[in-house]
Amino acid sequence: PHPTPAARLRTLLDDAREASRCEVMPACHDALSARLIERAGFRVAFMSGFAVSASGLALPDAGLISYGEQLSVGQNICAAIDTRRLLVIGDGDTGFGGSGNVRRTIEGYAKAGFAGVSIEDQVYPKRCAYSGGVAVVPREEAVARVRCAIAARDEMRRRSGLDLVLVARTDCRRAEEDLDEVLWRCRAFAALGADVVYAEGLAPDELRRLCVSLGPTVHTMLAQVERPGVTLISQTEAAALGCRLSLFGLTVLSAAVSAMTRALEAMASGGHPSTGALCDFGELKALVGFDALDAWEEEHQACPAAGQDGAAE
């Protein structure tokens, strides 16, 4: 049998560790953005809850989007790409509730085709880490949630062969906890068997301390958002710190919003976007699959459409 997306992601992470490399991981928000990430040659992407809530609902990432809504987008994303070429980690938030919800999230994301899922220690409903009012559950509950996610994943793997890489995330730095609490939670998550450990909101020197504290065998990641006054950490710098994944959670969405805004402003003022600001129509048709569909229909043109003469009733 072919290796699962999760197995391929573990291999990618292990190879990155051996090569002291950090994989850049753009975030997608729908099937089309995921396909563009795949075409650009990236090997791993992240389905961002912020981006999905923004693009699908025009609502803030503040616990307003449901499990079902995020799962639906994830199914479309995984169906639109070749999961042998692009591995996608889904934003699982807090697991969307109690232990039963965590188990359902794990199974649903695996069936959708994700390679991994992130589970965090915020209170439910959660809030975007860059908004006010971020709060985390006590450390004992945080550990219990990650333990539940790993148990659900392992049970699913034994029962069905489905698998997920588990990214255990803490937001306690955003909740104004000290670095010692961050390190404690991350070490606890790693000891439970999380595949990747991720602490939100760390400064570069704190991130380095985290990587040293966890040791070289634990995979870590960082997440960055382009904001005024923030200097981004490069791929080379992230690798030197010890990170294996570098998430840019809003870059693709922000670029899309900026391009759409400029085009609409030009139209609203009586003009029109320049040719260079638009995707070539032929390229757009190919991107969404018209060329492949035309080729298929030409090859199978003898097959009548449903309801036509000769079709099965």
Side-chain angles (χ1 to χ4, degrees):
H2 296 293
T4 64
R8 288 194 291 271
L9 180 53
R10 289 192 184 95
T11 298
L12 179 67
L13 291 168
D14 289 342
D15 290 347
R17 179 180 59 206
E18 291 301 315
S20 298
R21 186 181 73 243
C22 180
E23 292 285 339
V24 173
M25 182 168 61
C28 52
H29 52 273
D30 58 15
L32 188 61
S33 59
R35 183 168 290 176
L36 288 168
I37 292 170
E38 179 187 23
R39 286 183 61 187
F42 290 94
R43 290 181 283 190
V44 59
F46 187 84
M47 185 189 78
S48 159
F50 184 120
V52 170
S53 184
S55 62
L57 303 176
L59 288 174
D61 182 19
L64 302 175
I65 193 167
S66 69
Y67 160 75
E69 288 167 321
Q70 291 216 146
L71 178 64
S72 178
V73 173
Q75 290 168 334
N76 291 339
I77 285 171
C78 293
I81 62 170
D82 184 345
T83 55
R84 296 169 300 179
R85 296 175 54 192
L86 181 67
L87 303 165
V88 185
I89 299 173
D91 188 345
D93 288 342
T94 63
F96 300 96
S99 61
N101 302 85
V102 171
R103 185 187 187 203
R104 185 180 183 217
T105 299
I106 295 296
E107 294 204 5
Y109 276 37
K111 289 176 181 176
F114 283 111
V117 62
S118 64
I119 298 292
E120 63 198 57
D121 63 357
Q122 283 200 38
V123 300
Y124 179 78
K126 58 81 56 87
R127 299 182 66 84
C128 166
Y130 296 95
S131 66
V134 172
V136 295
V137 297
R139 59 165 58 169
E140 295 78 11
E141 186 175 343
V143 168
R145 183 180 295 168
V146 172
R147 181 185 293 113
C148 172
I150 292 172
R153 187 271 312 278
D154 292 348
E155 177 201 49
M156 174 184 70
R157 189 161 52 193
R158 290 190 299 270
R159 177 167 33 86
S160 67
L162 292 171
D163 194 7
L164 282 176
V165 165
L166 199 291
V167 180
R169 163 178 164 172
T170 180
D171 281 72
C172 62
R173 202 75 173 107
R174 294 290 187 193
E176 300 184 357
E177 298 281 355
D178 60 27
L179 184 60
D180 287 341
E181 182 65 17
V182 174
L183 298 178
W184 190 95
R185 292 189 184 214
C186 288
R187 286 194 295 262
F189 296 164
L192 288 171
D195 297 283
V196 180
V197 174
Y198 160 34
E200 173 61 48
L202 299 189
D205 61 318
E206 294 176 327
L207 187 58
R208 186 184 298 278
R209 283 188 59 186
L210 172 64
C211 292
V212 170
S213 173
L214 292 173
T217 61
V218 178
H219 299 304
T220 56
M221 64 174 274
L222 77 155
Q224 301 183 83
V225 171
E226 299 85 353
R227 295 171 293 147
V230 173
T231 301
L232 297 178
I233 299 172
S234 71
Q235 182 179 12
T236 301
E237 292 168 333
L241 289 170
C243 295
R244 299 296 155 242
L245 294 170
S246 178
L247 167 63
F248 288 90
L250 295 178
T251 306
V252 174
L253 176 64
S254 295
V257 170
S258 178
M260 288 188 287
T261 299
R262 290 195 302 270
L264 292 167
E265 286 174 345
M267 296 170 70
S269 63
H272 202 77
S274 65
T275 302
L278 298 175
C279 178
D280 175 79
F281 183 54
E283 182 181 348
L284 180 60
K285 287 178 62 182
L287 177 65
V288 298
F290 271 104
D291 291 352
L293 176 63
D294 290 346
W296 174 267
E297 290 183 339
E298 182 177 352
E299 181 181 353
H300 300 279
Q301 58 185 336
C303 178
Q308 294 183 357
D309 291 343
E313 296 275 331

